[in-house]
Amino acid sequence: MIREWMCGFLTSQAEQAFKEGDYTRVRACCQWVLHEQPEQLQLQAMLGEAALAVRDSFTARSCWQACVDANQQDAQAWFNLAKAQIQLADWPAAEQALRQAQALAPQVAEIQQSLAAVERMQTAVAAGAEAQTPAQNLTQAVNDAVANKEWQQVRELLANPRDRDAQGQRAYFLATFYLGLRDEAQQLWLPLVAQERDPECLAAAVVLSLEEQQLSQAERLLQRAQQADASHVAVRLAEAVWHAQHDTERAEKCYQQLLLDCPQEPEVALAVGGFYAQAERLAEAEQVFRQALQRDPRQAAAWYNLGTLLLTYRHDLAEATQCFEQAVERDISNTDYLNNLGVCYRSQGLLDKAEQCFLRILQLKQDTASAWRNLGLVYGLATRHVDAEGCLQRAIALQPEHAGGWLELASQHIQASAPALAKRYAEAALALEANSYTYNVLGLACVHLDQCEEAERHFNQALSLAEAEQQSGPLINLAGLYSSTLRIEQALEILESHLGEPGGFYSNYLFTLNYSPDLDHRQVLAGYRRAVEPVYPPARYQTYANPRSPSRRLKIGYVSPDFRRHACRYFIDPLLRHHDHQRFEIYAYSDVRFPDDITEVFKGMVDHWCHAPGLSHEQLAERIRADGIDILVDLAGHTAGNRLHTFALKPAPVQLSWMGYGYTTGLTQIDYLMCDRQFLPEGYEDAIAEQPWFVDSPLFCYQGNDWPLAEQSPFKRNGYVTFGCLSRTIRLNKHDLGLWAELLQRVPESRLALNTKTLADPEVAERFAAFFTERGVARERLLFGYSSPAYVAMQDIDIILDCFPHNSGTTLFESLWQGLPFVTLRHRPTMGRMGATILHGLGRDEWIADTPEEYLAIAERLADDTTALGDLHGSLRQEMQASLLCNGAAFTAKFESAYQQMWQRFCEVNAEEGSA
């Protein structure tokens, strides 16, 4: 079924390409479909017409022969077959096809004219005449291109096989080899192998044989090459490659001697550097490339190889980008250079620059599938989803058999919130290649379709096929499913067993650990220490040049990946908006890879903006020190895109964490965690690795949004009270669900609405429903599902129930904003006290419980007074706006006072160092 769908997709792509005159896409799509459905004569005809237009005569002949075989009465097919034969100069076959066409359509003048022309040509050939072509000095042009090593030009000059004599065959083979088109080079070599004596061709054939593990053949070819010219650079390089298979010491000697003998030959330095890089002798490889550039900075290939080394092995994105820029500056037409530069730009969020690189590649060669894919990825990151889809579809049309293209299109549709199509594309990839990565992407598509049970099956299948180094993705995804479906212990077991391995296990372990329902605060912190200590470096900096003046203007640096459309913006905005810039110089170190309109708003709130995605952790630390930051504020914690590695290096004298994570970082290099006494009660200081710095409640300030309020409370519409929770199911466990089941028993006729994405899967919803029905709650009282945005679901809820031991977060602010009171239970610090710090800031401590029984009593009391519920529905937003929860100026003044006190403490403790 899926292959039929793929055929339909590719047929539509072929039709579109035919209209655009893009023969390469037409050919790729038609050939794939015809392999699956050879009876599709309309595609044979489409491909045949396109092939005739670009003089791909062999393909045209094959297509039109298939058409006439299927229908001997098709005059046009016979005529087109004759056209192909004419292009091939097969005059007898052309005449035969034309006579068939003439017999079927004697009235068509064009057929008559073509037949007459073919007859004249055959007469001329029989008389010994030669057909003349325009005079071209093709041989000289090819020789010049070979001498200048302009291999792409060689291929273009000799694109027509009829233009290649023996010398042309050799030149075309070498061009194909040096351009890295190995499969084609292997095919081109076969006719040359027996008689070839050119040392460079033989040397290339040695390398091809070694790549195919044909060692005996490689040895024989090397001997022939040495007999032809043992001193030729290409032969000596081939000898070094040969020795590298079994004797690396001898290979190294060969390479070193080549460097001594031929220091000016660019390919020598590239080969030697590549040898060292492959042996993971990175410093030596880097030295070879840099020395080559010192000798001749014009070597584009050396810049390219140095950039590749820095990117692949050192992960130095910034310097790699500079190298690729140098390479492109010297050779603007090299698609490999442009591609790597575009990828680097994309990784840094420089999407406009990345777009220009990939568009340049397509100007040079419009049938480059990888460029269409990369351009599609750029557009996807820029949320230009229609453009992204078009580019990725073109990439598939050019390489239908490439499973990765289908998977990229699947991922794009996941990003574009079109999971149904994403699943289709992932299934298409699976039909081509059933591997771990394909199953993993298919599982992700199912997750976004809220088909959690099916997703779990795919993740398990991915694990069964994965090599050890490929298991992180499906394992983490599986753990995520477990944690969201009442199996958090299994999730923690998976993640903890892989701590120390690459792939994000430790960060997902910390995230999941926060929600464990049965651990106390000390056990959670112990888990943090165990996970964090092996991952982060020790502090690199112990001394600071910052002037030790408590009263001077302080430099405050905020570090975040969320200066964008993200929930965190509602809390960051009030702080940045109200800073006193006379007393504080504000820096923002933004790791937003793909800026948006909100990013521009934040830029206007600060004195200095640093776009940091291209900087390594060490480079960012150096930038922070160069800026002279006094107090560095982490706004991300362990969330995605964080810079805790930079904080671990301790680039600023005072470092603190606030808001983005809501819990300890586990790093002692961060001096303070901002708290209030609701968030971290007295006696619980051992819940965090940092020192607590206490400010007056509330600990957060909320900007608010433009959501509309419902016209009336749900109780008035329904006649019963609806309790609700919109939190992610990872926060739901036997403790809070059990308490809610008891609440439903105590408040007859009430309903419970759980509205979250995971519960859109009917199978998962029934798993949660079973928890309640087993405790005597009728299924019809359970309203489980998902709707977005959140205010839509809130319109059907009277009272919000907060989770524990990990409270909800932004949803609690949004609930109050929408006129809904919530009940919270003070629990495990710190995120088990989020609800308390919010309600205390609002002045609604009466909705805070200290025991489960108090929690039930507060919820019952709210449900009993439906008149008060209705009043709250209309007044709670105004009450919130008038409270400290929404007073940005007061909140910022409070934080600024804390900053000054932190700095004064630092100056007092470090006064001696400052005066030295």
Side-chain angles (χ1 to χ4, degrees):
M1 182 69 72
I2 188 63
R3 297 189 82 92
E4 290 182 12
W5 178 84
M6 292 167 71
C7 286
F9 172 85
L10 290 169
T11 297
S12 65
Q13 286 293 305
E15 291 167 349
Q16 181 63 33
F18 188 81
K19 292 176 184 176
E20 297 172 4
D22 187 344
Y23 168 64
T24 306
R25 282 165 58 211
V26 172
R27 179 177 59 185
C29 292
C30 289
Q31 287 179 341
W32 197 91
V33 175
L34 288 169
H35 181 268
E36 296 289 316
Q37 300 175 347
E39 70 282 0
Q40 293 278 7
L41 291 181
Q42 73 273 20
L43 288 186
Q44 292 279 14
M46 184 190 301
L47 179 56
E49 285 191 42
L52 283 174
V54 298
R55 302 187 69 81
D56 181 358
S57 311
F58 291 101
T59 298
R61 180 174 64 183
S62 174
C63 290
W64 292 114
Q65 186 66 58
C67 289
V68 298
D69 288 346
N71 183 4
Q72 295 282 328
Q73 304 304 308
D74 187 341
Q76 187 62 49
W78 280 110
F79 187 30
N80 287 333
L81 175 59
K83 291 178 182 179
Q85 304 288 15
I86 291 170
Q87 288 183 359
L88 291 167
D90 188 346
W91 311 117
E95 180 184 1
Q96 181 181 0
L98 285 168
R99 293 198 182 281
Q100 290 283 355
Q102 182 187 42
L104 293 167
Q107 73 284 4
V108 177
E110 188 178 0
I111 296 176
Q112 300 285 353
Q113 294 165 1
S114 296
L115 181 57
V118 167
E119 289 173 341
R120 287 195 299 272
M121 181 59 71
Q122 289 195 90
T123 301
V125 169
E130 295 183 358
Q132 299 298 310
T133 59
Q136 301 178 31
N137 195 353
L138 181 61
T139 300
Q140 185 61 48
V142 170
N143 289 341
D144 291 344
V146 170
N148 294 322
K149 298 182 180 179
E150 296 172 348
W151 300 115
Q152 187 60 47
Q153 185 178 355
V154 171
R155 278 181 59 86
E156 291 172 1
L157 288 168
L158 297 172
N160 191 332
R162 289 190 297 169
D163 292 333
R164 303 175 204 157
D165 56 13
Q167 183 178 348
Q169 292 280 13
R170 283 193 293 272
Y172 194 79
F173 162 69
L174 287 173
T176 305
F177 172 79
Y178 285 128
L179 290 171
L181 305 172
R182 294 302 208 242
D183 290 341
E184 186 179 352
Q186 286 280 6
Q187 296 300 315
L188 290 168
W189 172 247
L190 293 176
L192 301 175
V193 64
Q195 303 299 322
E196 187 56 55
R197 296 181 180 179
D198 180 77
E200 190 170 9
C201 286
L202 288 164
V206 171
V207 176
L208 289 174
S209 299
L210 289 173
E211 290 175 353
E212 294 292 314
Q213 297 298 308
Q214 297 176 2
L215 303 185
S216 298
Q217 177 176 290
E219 185 176 16
R220 292 192 299 272
L221 289 167
L222 179 59
Q223 291 170 352
R224 287 171 57 189
Q226 290 171 329
Q227 289 169 2
D229 186 354
S231 64
H232 197 289
V233 171
V235 176
R236 295 178 66 185
L237 285 172
E239 180 186 5
V241 175
W242 159 255
H243 288 308
Q245 305 298 310
H246 49 79
D247 188 346
T248 54
E249 289 186 11
R250 188 169 178 185
E252 184 175 1
K253 290 179 181 177
C254 291
Y255 282 125
Q256 289 176 340
Q257 190 61 49
L258 270 164
L259 272 179
L260 290 173
D261 296 343
C262 314
Q264 303 304 322
E265 292 289 346
E267 61 266 30
V268 171
L270 302 183
V272 178
F275 169 76
Y276 285 132
Q278 192 171 10
E280 298 189 2
R281 295 163 61 177
L282 307 182
E284 291 163 283
E286 184 174 344
Q287 182 182 14
V288 169
F289 292 138
R290 292 194 186 278
Q291 287 176 346
L293 289 168
Q294 286 175 355
R295 289 190 296 268
D296 184 3
R298 297 170 299 174
Q299 292 186 38
W303 283 111
Y304 172 75
N305 281 274
L306 178 59
T308 302
L309 178 77
L310 293 170
L311 183 64
T312 305
Y313 295 101
R314 300 205 185 283
H315 309 292
D316 189 339
L317 186 60
E319 189 172 0
T321 302
Q322 293 172 6
C323 290
F324 293 137
E325 286 173 338
Q326 293 288 339
V328 168
E329 183 179 326
R330 287 155 177 78
D331 187 355
I332 189 62
S333 297
N334 188 294
T335 57
D336 289 336
Y337 304 170
L338 286 162
N339 182 76
N340 279 23
L341 181 58
V343 169
C344 284
Y345 284 149
R346 187 180 68 205
S347 299
Q348 296 171 75
L350 303 173
L351 301 185
D352 290 342
K353 289 186 174 182
E355 178 188 18
Q356 292 307 309
C357 288
F358 299 128
L359 286 174
R360 172 62 179 163
I361 294 173
L362 292 169
Q363 287 174 349
L364 294 167
K365 198 170 188 296
Q366 71 167 1
D367 58 354
T368 308
S370 61
W372 284 113
R373 280 197 297 274
N374 282 320
L375 184 60
L377 296 176
V378 167
Y379 289 149
L381 293 170
T383 66
R384 294 168 57 179
H385 297 306
V386 174
D387 292 333
E389 181 181 19
C391 291
L392 293 172
Q393 285 181 346
R394 283 174 178 265
I396 288 176
L398 288 164
Q399 292 182 332
E401 74 291 345
H402 180 58
W406 297 92
L407 284 178
E408 284 160 352
L409 197 51
S411 298
Q412 168 59 30
H413 280 81
I414 290 173
Q415 181 183 333
S417 301
L421 266 176
K423 186 178 181 182
R424 274 290 188 181
Y425 290 123
E427 288 172 337
L430 188 63
L432 296 170
E433 188 174 351
N435 59 28
S436 175
Y437 182 61
T438 307
Y439 275 108
N440 193 46
V441 173
L442 181 55
L444 286 173
C446 290
V447 167
H448 285 80
L449 276 171
D450 309 314
Q451 298 170 351
C452 297
E453 299 292 329
E454 184 179 348
E456 185 174 335
R457 292 192 294 272
H458 292 313
F459 292 143
N460 278 314
Q461 185 65 34
L463 280 175
S464 71
L465 296 173
E467 301 290 338
E469 66 274 8
Q470 299 174 327
Q471 290 187 347
S472 60
L475 276 172
I476 288 170
N477 290 331
L478 196 58
L481 275 180
Y482 286 160
S483 66
S484 298
T485 52
L486 300 177
R487 293 174 286 175
I488 195 167
E489 293 81 7
Q490 290 174 258
L492 284 170
E493 183 180 347
I494 289 174
L495 296 169
E496 188 167 12
S497 66
H498 292 276
L499 283 179
E501 298 179 17
F505 285 105
Y506 87 92
S507 58
N508 282 275
Y509 171 73
L510 296 180
F511 174 80
T512 308
L513 190 65
N514 293 341
Y515 299 94
S516 176
D518 298 316
L519 302 179
D520 65 27
H521 65 280
R522 295 184 185 87
Q523 291 172 309
V524 173
L525 180 59
Y528 264 71
R529 293 192 188 281
R530 187 167 60 252
V532 164
E533 286 175 3
V535 173
Y536 292 96
R540 174 180 294 181
Y541 310 106
Q542 284 80 36
T543 60
Y544 305 91
N546 307 54
R548 306 296 197 270
S549 171
S551 59
R552 67 177 174 81
R553 187 187 187 202
L554 295 180
K555 293 185 175 184
I556 312 297
Y558 292 98
V559 184
S560 176
D562 298 324
F563 295 124
R564 58 189 173 92
R565 283 197 174 275
H566 185 277
C568 287
R569 77 182 191 270
Y570 294 117
F571 305 96
I572 299 173
D573 183 292
L575 178 60
L576 296 189
R577 186 177 295 277
H578 292 94
H579 263 307
D580 182 350
H581 292 266
Q582 297 300 312
R583 296 165 51 226
F584 298 91
E585 189 173 357
I586 307 302
Y587 290 72
Y589 299 95
S590 170
D591 258 296
V592 176
R593 293 186 176 275
F594 314 112
D596 55 26
D597 58 323
I598 299 299
T599 308
E600 294 304 311
V601 173
F602 279 126
K603 281 184 181 180
M605 294 180 182
V606 301
D607 300 300
H608 307 278
W609 183 271
C610 173
H611 180 74
L615 300 179
S616 68
H617 299 303
E618 293 77 10
Q619 289 168 333
L620 180 57
E622 286 296 324
R623 170 66 183 269
I624 289 165
R625 284 176 65 79
D627 289 340
I629 297 300
D630 300 308
I631 299 176
L632 191 66
V633 185
D634 161 52
L635 298 176
H638 286 282
T639 58
N642 71 77
R643 283 295 193 150
L644 290 181
H645 276 83
T646 297
F647 278 83
L649 297 171
K650 197 65 165 69
V654 178
Q655 299 188 158
L656 65 103
S657 184
W658 171 73
M659 197 278 303
Y661 193 54
Y663 194 60
T664 182
T665 63
L667 293 176
T668 56
Q669 295 97 316
I670 294 183
D671 301 290
Y672 304 112
L673 180 69
M674 295 297 273
C675 301
D676 65 11
R677 276 302 183 186
Q678 294 294 328
F679 204 57
L680 189 71
E682 188 174 355
Y684 283 93
E685 288 80 3
D686 58 352
I688 62 176
E690 308 84 352
Q691 300 175 61
W693 189 281
F694 292 102
V695 294
D696 293 336
S697 293
L699 184 57
F700 305 96
C701 185
Y702 181 63
Q703 181 188 34
N705 56 46
D706 58 357
W707 287 355
L709 284 170
E711 294 181 0
Q712 59 177 314
S713 84
F715 174 81
K716 291 183 179 179
R717 296 197 310 270
N718 301 325
Y720 54 78
V721 169
T722 302
F723 299 103
C725 178
L726 282 75
S727 191
R728 290 177 293 185
T729 52
I730 192 173
R731 293 190 175 99
L732 305 183
N733 55 72
K734 59 187 177 183
H735 303 301
D736 47 24
L737 293 179
L739 201 62
W740 298 349
E742 186 174 346
L743 177 61
L744 291 176
Q745 299 286 19
R746 292 193 184 190
V747 183
E749 304 303 320
S750 63
R751 304 290 192 272
L752 175 65
L754 299 183
N755 191 281
T756 188
K757 195 166 177 59
T758 310
L759 296 180
D761 184 336
E763 294 182 67
V764 176
E766 289 310 308
R767 177 180 296 180
F768 278 82
F771 184 95
F772 289 90
T773 56
E774 289 167 3
R775 288 158 178 78
V777 178
R779 180 64 180 87
E780 58 269 20
R781 297 178 66 190
L782 305 173
L783 311 175
F784 294 173
Y786 177 64
S787 55
S788 181
Y791 73 81
V792 176
M794 291 179 185
Q795 291 174 348
D796 295 318
I797 296 173
D798 295 289
I799 302 166
I800 292 291
L801 301 176
D802 195 10
C803 312
F804 58 88
H806 192 298
N807 294 167
S808 298
T810 305
T811 304
L812 298 179
F813 288 93
E814 293 171 342
S815 300
L816 297 175
W817 191 255
Q818 293 305 108
L820 305 182
F822 69 82
V823 185
T824 191
L825 174 63
R826 290 189 180 100
H827 212 281
R828 184 177 67 211
T830 51
M831 279 305 298
R833 304 292 181 113
M834 173 66 82
T837 194
I838 296 171
L839 290 178
H840 185 70
L842 181 63
R844 287 286 188 171
D845 292 72
E846 68 269 23
W847 297 341
I848 306 172
D850 287 305
T851 67
E853 184 57 39
E854 284 185 21
Y855 186 102
L856 291 171
I858 294 169
E860 284 185 82
R861 191 161 57 247
L862 284 169
D864 286 343
D865 193 346
T866 54
T867 301
L869 271 182
D871 293 341
L872 284 170
H873 183 79
S875 65
L876 199 51
R877 179 179 290 188
Q878 289 74 24
E879 182 180 335
M880 187 179 182
Q881 289 173 317
S883 75
L884 290 173
L885 281 180
C886 294
N887 190 332
F891 180 82
T892 303
K894 175 173 64 180
F895 265 53
E896 289 177 342
S897 176
Y899 293 159
Q900 288 181 313
Q901 293 172 49
M902 291 177 191
W903 186 247
Q904 182 169 353
R905 178 184 293 184
F906 174 80
C907 291
E908 291 170 355
V909 172
N910 297 275
E912 184 175 342
E913 177 192 325
S915 61

